[in-house]
Amino acid sequence: MASTIIRTAEQDEYDLADHPLFFVRDVVTKEHTPHLSLHRGRIEPGGEITPHRQEHTETMYILSGDVECTLDDEKFELGTGTCLVIEPHTMRGLKNIGDQPVELLVVFTPPLP
């Protein structure tokens, strides 16, 4: 594989139907590297990543904004500069509790299909 420069502003953004007001750009995919996938996410005010489970380890870094985070049966209020490492099969969700969009980076290992 060749080295690659990726500019997220040039990537298509899409929404995920199961997660209201959540928008994603696929920054690095398995086509770039077999080790991980990296995604840039935006949760608009009132939006959320609804609680769900993944078969992958998910690492989230909150670039800006405030969220209520669900991890299994616990809830936490988190903000800018927080990093979460979520093990596979853990129930996880994020809800924007502020009046500004939440910006985050999400890494999946192994990469999403």
Side-chain angles (χ1 to χ4, degrees):
M1 288 185 191
S3 297
T4 304
I5 296 172
I6 299 166
R7 293 179 174 87
T8 59
E10 297 171 359
Q11 294 180 303
D12 291 332
E13 182 178 71
Y14 60 94
D15 67 329
L16 296 174
D18 294 340
H19 307 286
L21 300 174
F22 176 53
F23 303 90
V24 177
R25 294 175 194 262
D26 297 330
V27 180
V28 176
T29 65
K30 66 180 181 178
E31 285 74 33
H32 298 102
T33 177
H35 306 292
L36 60 86
S37 61
L38 171 67
H39 310 270
R40 176 124 189 193
R42 176 173 49 87
I43 308 170
E44 287 295 324
E48 69 178 311
I49 300 171
T50 56
H52 65 288
R53 297 181 194 280
Q54 291 277 356
E55 293 184 17
H56 302 76
T57 297
E58 185 173 7
T59 303
M60 293 184 178
Y61 183 78
I62 301 171
L63 297 167
S64 65
D66 298 304
V67 298
E68 178 183 82
C69 173
T70 300
L71 294 175
D72 286 330
D73 296 328
E74 296 186 71
K75 293 189 185 288
F76 307 90
E77 287 193 12
L78 306 174
T80 302
T82 304
C83 186
L84 300 141
V85 180
I86 307 167
E87 292 299 313
H89 309 290
T90 300
M91 182 66 74
R92 79 267 326 259
L94 289 180
K95 184 174 185 174
N96 184 336
I97 57 172
D99 57 3
Q100 298 295 316
V102 171
E103 298 280 344
L104 46 105
L105 293 175
V106 182
V107 176
F108 290 96
T109 50
L112 292 179

